Amino acid sequence: MKPVIGRAILTLIFFAMAASVAFAQEEATPIAKVEAPVIDIGTVANGEEIPQSFTISNEGTMDLVLTQVRPTCGCTVAEFDEVIAPGETGQVRAVLDTTNFNGAISKTIIVKTNELANPEIKLALKATVQPYWSATRG
């Protein structure tokens, strides 16, 4: 009888260890936090190219992977850090071309990540575009 009890105990220990490893792996996750998801550039002259950076931190326990960064307008070009280690920060750098705008604008950048709880982050650049030259009647 003793070998059977010993084998049963070893089997229980094995399954308990396997379950704890699986549980620990399930808990490892990236968590993206954006310092300022909306940047208000203020008033700019028509035709300016405005560079801006968004800071994204990883507050999780595994690498945060930015799988895609897509501006919703051809007037914005973005580049980004693809992998952000736990406890580290990364950047999404964007350049907004104001050539074809006048007045208040808001341009969105969509960031896709490997975070399960929140796989999509929306960033925005806001500005008020004014003509480089303006004339008034006096």
Side-chain angles (χ1 to χ4, degrees):
M1 283 279 187
K2 288 185 181 182
V4 173
I5 294 173
R7 200 174 293 152
I9 290 173
L10 286 175
T11 303
L12 285 173
I13 291 172
F14 172 76
F15 282 116
M17 290 174 61
S20 67
V21 168
F23 180 73
Q25 287 176 344
E26 288 176 4
E27 290 297 312
T29 183
I31 300 172
K33 296 291 180 187
V34 182
E35 197 172 284
V38 177
I39 297 176
D40 189 342
I41 300 167
T43 302
V44 297
N46 176 270
E48 284 189 48
E49 290 187 357
I50 313 295
Q52 292 293 319
S53 290
F54 296 91
T55 299
I56 300 176
S57 60
N58 181 1
E59 296 182 359
T61 55
M62 68 180 276
D63 286 350
L64 174 67
V65 180
L66 306 186
T67 58
Q68 183 183 32
V69 174
R70 183 175 41 89
T72 58
C73 174
C75 63
T76 306
V77 177
E79 60 180 37
F80 57 98
D81 298 328
E82 291 182 25
V83 179
I84 304 169
E88 300 294 323
T89 61
Q91 301 289 317
V92 172
R93 295 165 294 283
V95 178
L96 172 63
D97 182 355
T98 64
T99 299
N100 296 318
F101 300 103
N102 189 26
I105 61 171
S106 179
K107 301 301 171 188
T108 303
I109 301 167
I110 300 186
V111 179
K112 304 267 186 173
T113 75
N114 66 328
E115 181 183 349
L116 296 177
N118 187 24
E120 185 175 283
I121 301 168
K122 290 185 181 172
L123 308 174
L125 293 172
K126 293 184 174 188
T128 301
V129 182
Q130 293 186 340
Y132 192 75
W133 297 97
S134 66
T136 58
R137 245 179 159 168

